[in-house]
Amino acid sequence: MRRIVILTAIGLLLISQIEAKKVKGTIFLENDTLEVMLKIPVKLFTGGIKIDKLQFRVKYIDMTGKKVTLYPYQVKEYRFKYEYEKYRMISVDNSMGLGMIHTTGDKIFLHLKIDGKLKLLIYYNSVTMPDPYNLATGRPLYFHKYFLCFYYH
């Protein structure tokens, strides 16, 4: 009985950390600007942002409490601040075919890291591979691939 209680408590703790964090943000549409509560996916134990998940859609809660999902072809940009860092996700043409499995339409959100005449936009891609040091365990090894995109405007 005690084991069940401990396992249930651990399970509830883990499940509560899986849920996305609610963060104040701004969404810029073609002819409108929305101040909303964004739903930002976070990593299970570290609480860091799963930034690769932010490139394909933006989820938010509107003023009535309704959950809404928008895609890059519907949004110009969205911004938010998380743990003292500001994030800007810009909707751009997906001319390189990034994340084709996850995209809807011909646009994708890229992380604007440096703004100016020359913009630095970053695409994040998480990859899972077998552990190269011990293939017998089948443990996954996670790493990120980045594509740096420079746009002159």
PDB file of all heavy atoms in Angstrom, residues 53-87:
ATOM      1  N   LYS A  53       9.768  22.845 -30.375  1.00  0.00           N
ATOM      2  CA  LYS A  53       8.314  22.670 -30.480  1.00  0.00           C
ATOM      3  C   LYS A  53       7.607  23.987 -30.808  1.00  0.00           C
ATOM      4  O   LYS A  53       6.451  23.980 -31.206  1.00  0.00           O
ATOM      5  CB  LYS A  53       7.741  22.108 -29.177  1.00  0.00           C
ATOM      6  CG  LYS A  53       8.365  20.818 -28.728  1.00  0.00           C
ATOM      7  CD  LYS A  53       8.027  19.683 -29.631  1.00  0.00           C
ATOM      8  CE  LYS A  53       8.586  18.393 -29.080  1.00  0.00           C
ATOM      9  NZ  LYS A  53       8.769  17.384 -30.080  1.00  0.00           N
ATOM     10  N   LEU A  54       8.288  25.111 -30.609  1.00  0.00           N
ATOM     11  CA  LEU A  54       7.677  26.417 -30.832  1.00  0.00           C
ATOM     12  C   LEU A  54       7.721  26.855 -32.296  1.00  0.00           C
ATOM     13  O   LEU A  54       7.212  27.903 -32.643  1.00  0.00           O
ATOM     14  CB  LEU A  54       8.396  27.482 -29.988  1.00  0.00           C
ATOM     15  CG  LEU A  54       8.347  27.286 -28.483  1.00  0.00           C
ATOM     16  CD1 LEU A  54       9.201  28.338 -27.795  1.00  0.00           C
ATOM     17  CD2 LEU A  54       6.920  27.333 -27.985  1.00  0.00           C
ATOM     18  N   GLN A  55       8.330  26.065 -33.154  1.00  0.00           N
ATOM     19  CA  GLN A  55       8.562  26.470 -34.534  1.00  0.00           C
ATOM     20  C   GLN A  55       7.398  26.156 -35.474  1.00  0.00           C
ATOM     21  O   GLN A  55       7.370  26.630 -36.594  1.00  0.00           O
ATOM     22  CB  GLN A  55       9.829  25.780 -35.065  1.00  0.00           C
ATOM     23  CG  GLN A  55      11.038  26.186 -34.256  1.00  0.00           C
ATOM     24  CD  GLN A  55      12.266  25.395 -34.597  1.00  0.00           C
ATOM     25  OE1 GLN A  55      13.283  25.970 -34.876  1.00  0.00           O
ATOM     26  NE2 GLN A  55      12.168  24.076 -34.591  1.00  0.00           N
ATOM     27  N   PHE A  56       6.444  25.372 -35.000  1.00  0.00           N
ATOM     28  CA  PHE A  56       5.402  24.876 -35.891  1.00  0.00           C
ATOM     29  C   PHE A  56       4.009  25.400 -35.584  1.00  0.00           C
ATOM     30  O   PHE A  56       3.126  25.365 -36.427  1.00  0.00           O
ATOM     31  CB  PHE A  56       5.393  23.351 -35.878  1.00  0.00           C
ATOM     32  CG  PHE A  56       6.765  22.779 -36.081  1.00  0.00           C
ATOM     33  CD1 PHE A  56       7.416  22.122 -35.056  1.00  0.00           C
ATOM     34  CD2 PHE A  56       7.432  22.964 -37.281  1.00  0.00           C
ATOM     35  CE1 PHE A  56       8.688  21.616 -35.235  1.00  0.00           C
ATOM     36  CE2 PHE A  56       8.712  22.467 -37.468  1.00  0.00           C
ATOM     37  CZ  PHE A  56       9.345  21.794 -36.442  1.00  0.00           C
ATOM     38  N   ARG A  57       3.805  25.870 -34.367  1.00  0.00           N
ATOM     39  CA  ARG A  57       2.501  26.409 -33.964  1.00  0.00           C
ATOM     40  C   ARG A  57       2.686  27.216 -32.686  1.00  0.00           C
ATOM     41  O   ARG A  57       3.664  27.043 -31.969  1.00  0.00           O
ATOM     42  CB  ARG A  57       1.485  25.292 -33.749  1.00  0.00           C
ATOM     43  CG  ARG A  57       1.782  24.385 -32.573  1.00  0.00           C
ATOM     44  CD  ARG A  57       0.895  23.163 -32.503  1.00  0.00           C
ATOM     45  NE  ARG A  57       0.968  22.303 -33.648  1.00  0.00           N
ATOM     46  CZ  ARG A  57       1.879  21.351 -33.853  1.00  0.00           C
ATOM     47  NH1 ARG A  57       2.813  21.140 -32.956  1.00  0.00           N
ATOM     48  NH2 ARG A  57       1.869  20.608 -34.936  1.00  0.00           N
ATOM     49  N   VAL A  58       1.731  28.066 -32.405  1.00  0.00           N
ATOM     50  CA  VAL A  58       1.716  28.803 -31.143  1.00  0.00           C
ATOM     51  C   VAL A  58       0.358  28.541 -30.499  1.00  0.00           C
ATOM     52  O   VAL A  58      -0.683  28.666 -31.135  1.00  0.00           O
ATOM     53  CB  VAL A  58       1.993  30.314 -31.335  1.00  0.00           C
ATOM     54  CG1 VAL A  58       1.027  30.964 -32.290  1.00  0.00           C
ATOM     55  CG2 VAL A  58       1.984  31.030 -29.999  1.00  0.00           C
ATOM     56  N   LYS A  59       0.398  28.121 -29.248  1.00  0.00           N
ATOM     57  CA  LYS A  59      -0.833  27.835 -28.505  1.00  0.00           C
ATOM     58  C   LYS A  59      -0.991  28.891 -27.425  1.00  0.00           C
ATOM     59  O   LYS A  59      -0.020  29.259 -26.764  1.00  0.00           O
ATOM     60  CB  LYS A  59      -0.769  26.443 -27.866  1.00  0.00           C
ATOM     61  CG  LYS A  59      -0.720  25.326 -28.881  1.00  0.00           C
ATOM     62  CD  LYS A  59      -0.688  23.973 -28.201  1.00  0.00           C
ATOM     63  CE  LYS A  59      -0.640  22.857 -29.229  1.00  0.00           C
ATOM     64  NZ  LYS A  59      -0.714  21.542 -28.601  1.00  0.00           N
ATOM     65  N   TYR A  60      -2.226  29.345 -27.270  1.00  0.00           N
ATOM     66  CA  TYR A  60      -2.483  30.341 -26.229  1.00  0.00           C
ATOM     67  C   TYR A  60      -3.892  30.185 -25.696  1.00  0.00           C
ATOM     68  O   TYR A  60      -4.713  29.468 -26.252  1.00  0.00           O
ATOM     69  CB  TYR A  60      -2.241  31.760 -26.764  1.00  0.00           C
ATOM     70  CG  TYR A  60      -3.250  32.254 -27.775  1.00  0.00           C
ATOM     71  CD1 TYR A  60      -4.365  32.989 -27.374  1.00  0.00           C
ATOM     72  CD2 TYR A  60      -3.079  32.016 -29.132  1.00  0.00           C
ATOM     73  CE1 TYR A  60      -5.273  33.462 -28.298  1.00  0.00           C
ATOM     74  CE2 TYR A  60      -3.989  32.487 -30.058  1.00  0.00           C
ATOM     75  CZ  TYR A  60      -5.081  33.219 -29.628  1.00  0.00           C
ATOM     76  OH  TYR A  60      -5.990  33.675 -30.537  1.00  0.00           O
ATOM     77  N   ILE A  61      -4.141  30.884 -24.601  1.00  0.00           N
ATOM     78  CA  ILE A  61      -5.464  30.919 -23.976  1.00  0.00           C
ATOM     79  C   ILE A  61      -5.994  32.328 -24.146  1.00  0.00           C
ATOM     80  O   ILE A  61      -5.347  33.293 -23.722  1.00  0.00           O
ATOM     81  CB  ILE A  61      -5.376  30.524 -22.489  1.00  0.00           C
ATOM     82  CG1 ILE A  61      -4.784  29.120 -22.373  1.00  0.00           C
ATOM     83  CG2 ILE A  61      -6.742  30.620 -21.834  1.00  0.00           C
ATOM     84  CD1 ILE A  61      -4.416  28.716 -20.975  1.00  0.00           C
ATOM     85  N   ASP A  62      -7.170  32.451 -24.770  1.00  0.00           N
ATOM     86  CA  ASP A  62      -7.721  33.791 -24.999  1.00  0.00           C
ATOM     87  C   ASP A  62      -8.425  34.306 -23.741  1.00  0.00           C
ATOM     88  O   ASP A  62      -8.429  33.639 -22.704  1.00  0.00           O
ATOM     89  CB  ASP A  62      -8.633  33.815 -26.233  1.00  0.00           C
ATOM     90  CG  ASP A  62      -9.934  33.054 -26.047  1.00  0.00           C
ATOM     91  OD1 ASP A  62     -10.232  32.605 -24.919  1.00  0.00           O
ATOM     92  OD2 ASP A  62     -10.669  32.905 -27.045  1.00  0.00           O
ATOM     93  N   MET A  63      -8.996  35.490 -23.832  1.00  0.00           N
ATOM     94  CA  MET A  63      -9.601  36.141 -22.664  1.00  0.00           C
ATOM     95  C   MET A  63     -10.798  35.386 -22.099  1.00  0.00           C
ATOM     96  O   MET A  63     -11.124  35.530 -20.926  1.00  0.00           O
ATOM     97  CB  MET A  63     -10.021  37.564 -23.010  1.00  0.00           C
ATOM     98  CG  MET A  63      -8.877  38.482 -23.317  1.00  0.00           C
ATOM     99  SD  MET A  63      -9.494  40.106 -23.705  1.00  0.00           S
ATOM    100  CE  MET A  63      -8.354  41.098 -22.766  1.00  0.00           C
ATOM    101  N   THR A  64     -11.437  34.546 -22.914  1.00  0.00           N
ATOM    102  CA  THR A  64     -12.587  33.782 -22.448  1.00  0.00           C
ATOM    103  C   THR A  64     -12.174  32.436 -21.848  1.00  0.00           C
ATOM    104  O   THR A  64     -13.012  31.691 -21.383  1.00  0.00           O
ATOM    105  CB  THR A  64     -13.581  33.523 -23.603  1.00  0.00           C
ATOM    106  OG1 THR A  64     -12.936  32.698 -24.581  1.00  0.00           O
ATOM    107  CG2 THR A  64     -14.046  34.817 -24.228  1.00  0.00           C
ATOM    108  N   GLY A  65     -10.870  32.123 -21.895  1.00  0.00           N
ATOM    109  CA  GLY A  65     -10.380  30.859 -21.372  1.00  0.00           C
ATOM    110  C   GLY A  65     -10.311  29.755 -22.416  1.00  0.00           C
ATOM    111  O   GLY A  65      -9.951  28.625 -22.108  1.00  0.00           O
ATOM    112  N   LYS A  66     -10.631  30.084 -23.649  1.00  0.00           N
ATOM    113  CA  LYS A  66     -10.609  29.104 -24.740  1.00  0.00           C
ATOM    114  C   LYS A  66      -9.172  28.881 -25.215  1.00  0.00           C
ATOM    115  O   LYS A  66      -8.406  29.821 -25.391  1.00  0.00           O
ATOM    116  CB  LYS A  66     -11.466  29.615 -25.901  1.00  0.00           C
ATOM    117  CG  LYS A  66     -11.541  28.697 -27.078  1.00  0.00           C
ATOM    118  CD  LYS A  66     -12.398  29.312 -28.177  1.00  0.00           C
ATOM    119  CE  LYS A  66     -12.267  28.511 -29.445  1.00  0.00           C
ATOM    120  NZ  LYS A  66     -12.901  29.189 -30.571  1.00  0.00           N
ATOM    121  N   LYS A  67      -8.803  27.611 -25.451  1.00  0.00           N
ATOM    122  CA  LYS A  67      -7.481  27.273 -25.979  1.00  0.00           C
ATOM    123  C   LYS A  67      -7.492  27.433 -27.493  1.00  0.00           C
ATOM    124  O   LYS A  67      -8.375  26.910 -28.174  1.00  0.00           O
ATOM    125  CB  LYS A  67      -7.103  25.843 -25.602  1.00  0.00           C
ATOM    126  CG  LYS A  67      -6.953  25.647 -24.108  1.00  0.00           C
ATOM    127  CD  LYS A  67      -6.658  24.215 -23.751  1.00  0.00           C
ATOM    128  CE  LYS A  67      -6.608  24.039 -22.244  1.00  0.00           C
ATOM    129  NZ  LYS A  67      -6.398  22.661 -21.840  1.00  0.00           N
ATOM    130  N   VAL A  68      -6.490  28.159 -28.011  1.00  0.00           N
ATOM    131  CA  VAL A  68      -6.423  28.466 -29.438  1.00  0.00           C
ATOM    132  C   VAL A  68      -5.039  28.077 -29.956  1.00  0.00           C
ATOM    133  O   VAL A  68      -4.041  28.261 -29.268  1.00  0.00           O
ATOM    134  CB  VAL A  68      -6.665  29.970 -29.689  1.00  0.00           C
ATOM    135  CG1 VAL A  68      -6.603  30.299 -31.172  1.00  0.00           C
ATOM    136  CG2 VAL A  68      -7.999  30.406 -29.100  1.00  0.00           C
ATOM    137  N   THR A  69      -4.999  27.538 -31.172  1.00  0.00           N
ATOM    138  CA  THR A  69      -3.738  27.214 -31.840  1.00  0.00           C
ATOM    139  C   THR A  69      -3.668  27.985 -33.148  1.00  0.00           C
ATOM    140  O   THR A  69      -4.613  27.975 -33.939  1.00  0.00           O
ATOM    141  CB  THR A  69      -3.648  25.708 -32.139  1.00  0.00           C
ATOM    142  OG1 THR A  69      -3.742  24.986 -30.908  1.00  0.00           O
ATOM    143  CG2 THR A  69      -2.332  25.358 -32.812  1.00  0.00           C
ATOM    144  N   LEU A  70      -2.533  28.672 -33.352  1.00  0.00           N
ATOM    145  CA  LEU A  70      -2.281  29.382 -34.604  1.00  0.00           C
ATOM    146  C   LEU A  70      -1.019  28.822 -35.240  1.00  0.00           C
ATOM    147  O   LEU A  70      -0.110  28.374 -34.541  1.00  0.00           O
ATOM    148  CB  LEU A  70      -2.118  30.884 -34.359  1.00  0.00           C
ATOM    149  CG  LEU A  70      -3.350  31.640 -33.854  1.00  0.00           C
ATOM    150  CD1 LEU A  70      -2.996  33.082 -33.543  1.00  0.00           C
ATOM    151  CD2 LEU A  70      -4.482  31.572 -34.860  1.00  0.00           C
ATOM    152  N   TYR A  71      -0.954  28.915 -36.559  1.00  0.00           N
ATOM    153  CA  TYR A  71       0.163  28.380 -37.322  1.00  0.00           C
ATOM    154  C   TYR A  71       0.939  29.520 -37.980  1.00  0.00           C
ATOM    155  O   TYR A  71       0.420  30.631 -38.122  1.00  0.00           O
ATOM    156  CB  TYR A  71      -0.359  27.378 -38.349  1.00  0.00           C
ATOM    157  CG  TYR A  71      -1.022  26.196 -37.681  1.00  0.00           C
ATOM    158  CD1 TYR A  71      -2.395  26.183 -37.446  1.00  0.00           C
ATOM    159  CD2 TYR A  71      -0.267  25.120 -37.225  1.00  0.00           C
ATOM    160  CE1 TYR A  71      -2.997  25.119 -36.802  1.00  0.00           C
ATOM    161  CE2 TYR A  71      -0.862  24.048 -36.578  1.00  0.00           C
ATOM    162  CZ  TYR A  71      -2.225  24.055 -36.363  1.00  0.00           C
ATOM    163  OH  TYR A  71      -2.815  23.008 -35.710  1.00  0.00           O
ATOM    164  N   PRO A  72       2.174  29.260 -38.412  1.00  0.00           N
ATOM    165  CA  PRO A  72       3.004  30.337 -38.964  1.00  0.00           C
ATOM    166  C   PRO A  72       2.370  31.100 -40.127  1.00  0.00           C
ATOM    167  O   PRO A  72       2.625  32.288 -40.282  1.00  0.00           O
ATOM    168  CB  PRO A  72       4.273  29.610 -39.415  1.00  0.00           C
ATOM    169  CG  PRO A  72       4.359  28.416 -38.538  1.00  0.00           C
ATOM    170  CD  PRO A  72       2.936  28.005 -38.297  1.00  0.00           C
ATOM    171  N   TYR A  73       1.544  30.465 -40.930  1.00  0.00           N
ATOM    172  CA  TYR A  73       0.919  31.178 -42.043  1.00  0.00           C
ATOM    173  C   TYR A  73      -0.156  32.159 -41.562  1.00  0.00           C
ATOM    174  O   TYR A  73      -0.603  33.014 -42.315  1.00  0.00           O
ATOM    175  CB  TYR A  73       0.356  30.209 -43.096  1.00  0.00           C
ATOM    176  CG  TYR A  73      -0.816  29.380 -42.644  1.00  0.00           C
ATOM    177  CD1 TYR A  73      -2.113  29.846 -42.777  1.00  0.00           C
ATOM    178  CD2 TYR A  73      -0.627  28.120 -42.092  1.00  0.00           C
ATOM    179  CE1 TYR A  73      -3.200  29.084 -42.366  1.00  0.00           C
ATOM    180  CE2 TYR A  73      -1.700  27.344 -41.684  1.00  0.00           C
ATOM    181  CZ  TYR A  73      -2.979  27.838 -41.817  1.00  0.00           C
ATOM    182  OH  TYR A  73      -4.044  27.085 -41.402  1.00  0.00           O
ATOM    183  N   GLN A  74      -0.567  32.060 -40.286  1.00  0.00           N
ATOM    184  CA  GLN A  74      -1.586  32.948 -39.733  1.00  0.00           C
ATOM    185  C   GLN A  74      -1.000  34.096 -38.904  1.00  0.00           C
ATOM    186  O   GLN A  74      -1.705  35.029 -38.561  1.00  0.00           O
ATOM    187  CB  GLN A  74      -2.530  32.142 -38.827  1.00  0.00           C
ATOM    188  CG  GLN A  74      -3.274  31.041 -39.542  1.00  0.00           C
ATOM    189  CD  GLN A  74      -3.998  30.141 -38.562  1.00  0.00           C
ATOM    190  OE1 GLN A  74      -3.385  29.557 -37.674  1.00  0.00           O
ATOM    191  NE2 GLN A  74      -5.310  30.041 -38.724  1.00  0.00           N
ATOM    192  N   VAL A  75       0.282  34.014 -38.564  1.00  0.00           N
ATOM    193  CA  VAL A  75       0.905  34.929 -37.607  1.00  0.00           C
ATOM    194  C   VAL A  75       2.159  35.542 -38.231  1.00  0.00           C
ATOM    195  O   VAL A  75       2.899  34.862 -38.940  1.00  0.00           O
ATOM    196  CB  VAL A  75       1.298  34.152 -36.321  1.00  0.00           C
ATOM    197  CG1 VAL A  75       2.025  35.037 -35.337  1.00  0.00           C
ATOM    198  CG2 VAL A  75       0.078  33.522 -35.685  1.00  0.00           C
ATOM    199  N   LYS A  76       2.413  36.824 -37.953  1.00  0.00           N
ATOM    200  CA  LYS A  76       3.659  37.456 -38.401  1.00  0.00           C
ATOM    201  C   LYS A  76       4.796  37.149 -37.424  1.00  0.00           C
ATOM    202  O   LYS A  76       5.914  36.873 -37.825  1.00  0.00           O
ATOM    203  CB  LYS A  76       3.477  38.968 -38.520  1.00  0.00           C
ATOM    204  CG  LYS A  76       2.641  39.384 -39.709  1.00  0.00           C
ATOM    205  CD  LYS A  76       2.313  40.855 -39.738  1.00  0.00           C
ATOM    206  CE  LYS A  76       3.494  41.745 -39.490  1.00  0.00           C
ATOM    207  NZ  LYS A  76       3.177  43.179 -39.583  1.00  0.00           N
ATOM    208  N   GLU A  77       4.477  37.212 -36.122  1.00  0.00           N
ATOM    209  CA  GLU A  77       5.501  37.061 -35.087  1.00  0.00           C
ATOM    210  C   GLU A  77       4.808  36.851 -33.750  1.00  0.00           C
ATOM    211  O   GLU A  77       3.685  37.294 -33.551  1.00  0.00           O
ATOM    212  CB  GLU A  77       6.343  38.342 -35.035  1.00  0.00           C
ATOM    213  CG  GLU A  77       7.307  38.443 -33.890  1.00  0.00           C
ATOM    214  CD  GLU A  77       8.052  39.769 -33.845  1.00  0.00           C
ATOM    215  OE1 GLU A  77       7.981  40.556 -34.811  1.00  0.00           O
ATOM    216  OE2 GLU A  77       8.713  40.005 -32.826  1.00  0.00           O
ATOM    217  N   TYR A  78       5.495  36.160 -32.824  1.00  0.00           N
ATOM    218  CA  TYR A  78       5.053  36.188 -31.433  1.00  0.00           C
ATOM    219  C   TYR A  78       6.266  36.324 -30.537  1.00  0.00           C
ATOM    220  O   TYR A  78       7.370  35.936 -30.886  1.00  0.00           O
ATOM    221  CB  TYR A  78       4.155  35.002 -31.073  1.00  0.00           C
ATOM    222  CG  TYR A  78       4.784  33.638 -31.018  1.00  0.00           C
ATOM    223  CD1 TYR A  78       5.200  33.094 -29.807  1.00  0.00           C
ATOM    224  CD2 TYR A  78       4.923  32.858 -32.164  1.00  0.00           C
ATOM    225  CE1 TYR A  78       5.742  31.827 -29.734  1.00  0.00           C
ATOM    226  CE2 TYR A  78       5.462  31.596 -32.105  1.00  0.00           C
ATOM    227  CZ  TYR A  78       5.873  31.082 -30.887  1.00  0.00           C
ATOM    228  OH  TYR A  78       6.413  29.827 -30.822  1.00  0.00           O
ATOM    229  N   ARG A  79       6.025  36.949 -29.364  1.00  0.00           N
ATOM    230  CA  ARG A  79       7.100  37.272 -28.425  1.00  0.00           C
ATOM    231  C   ARG A  79       6.675  36.894 -27.015  1.00  0.00           C
ATOM    232  O   ARG A  79       5.505  36.960 -26.669  1.00  0.00           O
ATOM    233  CB  ARG A  79       7.394  38.767 -28.401  1.00  0.00           C
ATOM    234  CG  ARG A  79       7.768  39.369 -29.693  1.00  0.00           C
ATOM    235  CD  ARG A  79       7.930  40.861 -29.529  1.00  0.00           C
ATOM    236  NE  ARG A  79       8.179  41.490 -30.831  1.00  0.00           N
ATOM    237  CZ  ARG A  79       8.365  42.765 -31.004  1.00  0.00           C
ATOM    238  NH1 ARG A  79       8.329  43.585 -29.968  1.00  0.00           N
ATOM    239  NH2 ARG A  79       8.592  43.245 -32.199  1.00  0.00           N
ATOM    240  N   PHE A  80       7.674  36.554 -26.213  1.00  0.00           N
ATOM    241  CA  PHE A  80       7.421  36.301 -24.800  1.00  0.00           C
ATOM    242  C   PHE A  80       8.741  36.359 -24.048  1.00  0.00           C
ATOM    243  O   PHE A  80       9.816  36.361 -24.642  1.00  0.00           O
ATOM    244  CB  PHE A  80       6.727  34.951 -24.584  1.00  0.00           C
ATOM    245  CG  PHE A  80       7.538  33.766 -25.029  1.00  0.00           C
ATOM    246  CD1 PHE A  80       8.330  33.067 -24.130  1.00  0.00           C
ATOM    247  CD2 PHE A  80       7.507  33.344 -26.358  1.00  0.00           C
ATOM    248  CE1 PHE A  80       9.070  31.973 -24.543  1.00  0.00           C
ATOM    249  CE2 PHE A  80       8.237  32.253 -26.768  1.00  0.00           C
ATOM    250  CZ  PHE A  80       9.023  31.568 -25.867  1.00  0.00           C
ATOM    251  N   LYS A  81       8.635  36.423 -22.733  1.00  0.00           N
ATOM    252  CA  LYS A  81       9.806  36.422 -21.868  1.00  0.00           C
ATOM    253  C   LYS A  81       9.677  35.217 -20.946  1.00  0.00           C
ATOM    254  O   LYS A  81       8.619  34.989 -20.362  1.00  0.00           O
ATOM    255  CB  LYS A  81       9.856  37.717 -21.057  1.00  0.00           C
ATOM    256  CG  LYS A  81      11.090  37.868 -20.219  1.00  0.00           C
ATOM    257  CD  LYS A  81      11.085  39.234 -19.526  1.00  0.00           C
ATOM    258  CE  LYS A  81      12.313  39.378 -18.664  1.00  0.00           C
ATOM    259  NZ  LYS A  81      12.318  40.673 -17.964  1.00  0.00           N
ATOM    260  N   TYR A  82      10.757  34.430 -20.846  1.00  0.00           N
ATOM    261  CA  TYR A  82      10.753  33.243 -20.001  1.00  0.00           C
ATOM    262  C   TYR A  82      12.086  33.165 -19.268  1.00  0.00           C
ATOM    263  O   TYR A  82      13.144  33.165 -19.904  1.00  0.00           O
ATOM    264  CB  TYR A  82      10.529  31.979 -20.845  1.00  0.00           C
ATOM    265  CG  TYR A  82      10.423  30.714 -20.036  1.00  0.00           C
ATOM    266  CD1 TYR A  82       9.241  30.405 -19.365  1.00  0.00           C
ATOM    267  CD2 TYR A  82      11.493  29.846 -19.923  1.00  0.00           C
ATOM    268  CE1 TYR A  82       9.136  29.252 -18.619  1.00  0.00           C
ATOM    269  CE2 TYR A  82      11.389  28.684 -19.177  1.00  0.00           C
ATOM    270  CZ  TYR A  82      10.217  28.392 -18.523  1.00  0.00           C
ATOM    271  OH  TYR A  82      10.124  27.245 -17.776  1.00  0.00           O
ATOM    272  N   GLU A  83      12.024  33.128 -17.951  1.00  0.00           N
ATOM    273  CA  GLU A  83      13.215  33.058 -17.111  1.00  0.00           C
ATOM    274  C   GLU A  83      14.257  34.093 -17.523  1.00  0.00           C
ATOM    275  O   GLU A  83      15.405  33.766 -17.801  1.00  0.00           O
ATOM    276  CB  GLU A  83      13.796  31.645 -17.115  1.00  0.00           C
ATOM    277  CG  GLU A  83      12.899  30.643 -16.431  1.00  0.00           C
ATOM    278  CD  GLU A  83      13.499  29.262 -16.336  1.00  0.00           C
ATOM    279  OE1 GLU A  83      14.587  29.017 -16.910  1.00  0.00           O
ATOM    280  OE2 GLU A  83      12.876  28.412 -15.672  1.00  0.00           O
ATOM    281  N   TYR A  84      13.841  35.350 -17.576  1.00  0.00           N
ATOM    282  CA  TYR A  84      14.711  36.504 -17.820  1.00  0.00           C
ATOM    283  C   TYR A  84      15.273  36.578 -19.233  1.00  0.00           C
ATOM    284  O   TYR A  84      16.138  37.396 -19.503  1.00  0.00           O
ATOM    285  CB  TYR A  84      15.852  36.563 -16.794  1.00  0.00           C
ATOM    286  CG  TYR A  84      15.357  36.491 -15.379  1.00  0.00           C
ATOM    287  CD1 TYR A  84      15.534  35.335 -14.628  1.00  0.00           C
ATOM    288  CD2 TYR A  84      14.686  37.557 -14.815  1.00  0.00           C
ATOM    289  CE1 TYR A  84      15.057  35.260 -13.327  1.00  0.00           C
ATOM    290  CE2 TYR A  84      14.198  37.490 -13.518  1.00  0.00           C
ATOM    291  CZ  TYR A  84      14.391  36.345 -12.779  1.00  0.00           C
ATOM    292  OH  TYR A  84      13.920  36.265 -11.503  1.00  0.00           O
ATOM    293  N   GLU A  85      14.825  35.738 -20.140  1.00  0.00           N
ATOM    294  CA  GLU A  85      15.282  35.818 -21.526  1.00  0.00           C
ATOM    295  C   GLU A  85      14.085  36.129 -22.424  1.00  0.00           C
ATOM    296  O   GLU A  85      13.018  35.543 -22.280  1.00  0.00           O
ATOM    297  CB  GLU A  85      15.940  34.513 -21.973  1.00  0.00           C
ATOM    298  CG  GLU A  85      16.571  34.628 -23.338  1.00  0.00           C
ATOM    299  CD  GLU A  85      17.392  33.411 -23.728  1.00  0.00           C
ATOM    300  OE1 GLU A  85      17.729  32.603 -22.855  1.00  0.00           O
ATOM    301  OE2 GLU A  85      17.684  33.297 -24.920  1.00  0.00           O
ATOM    302  N   LYS A  86      14.293  37.055 -23.352  1.00  0.00           N
ATOM    303  CA  LYS A  86      13.243  37.425 -24.293  1.00  0.00           C
ATOM    304  C   LYS A  86      13.353  36.557 -25.546  1.00  0.00           C
ATOM    305  O   LYS A  86      14.454  36.320 -26.042  1.00  0.00           O
ATOM    306  CB  LYS A  86      13.366  38.896 -24.678  1.00  0.00           C
ATOM    307  CG  LYS A  86      13.093  39.827 -23.518  1.00  0.00           C
ATOM    308  CD  LYS A  86      13.256  41.274 -23.927  1.00  0.00           C
ATOM    309  CE  LYS A  86      13.015  42.178 -22.726  1.00  0.00           C
ATOM    310  NZ  LYS A  86      13.205  43.597 -23.069  1.00  0.00           N
ATOM    311  N   TYR A  87      12.205  36.106 -26.038  1.00  0.00           N
ATOM    312  CA  TYR A  87      12.142  35.266 -27.234  1.00  0.00           C
ATOM    313  C   TYR A  87      11.265  35.955 -28.272  1.00  0.00           C
ATOM    314  O   TYR A  87      10.199  36.470 -27.945  1.00  0.00           O
ATOM    315  CB  TYR A  87      11.546  33.892 -26.916  1.00  0.00           C
ATOM    316  CG  TYR A  87      12.427  33.038 -26.059  1.00  0.00           C
ATOM    317  CD1 TYR A  87      12.385  33.130 -24.670  1.00  0.00           C
ATOM    318  CD2 TYR A  87      13.313  32.142 -26.628  1.00  0.00           C
ATOM    319  CE1 TYR A  87      13.208  32.344 -23.877  1.00  0.00           C
ATOM    320  CE2 TYR A  87      14.134  31.350 -25.844  1.00  0.00           C
ATOM    321  CZ  TYR A  87      14.075  31.459 -24.470  1.00  0.00           C
ATOM    322  OH  TYR A  87      14.888  30.674 -23.699  1.00  0.00           O
TER     323      TYR A  87
END
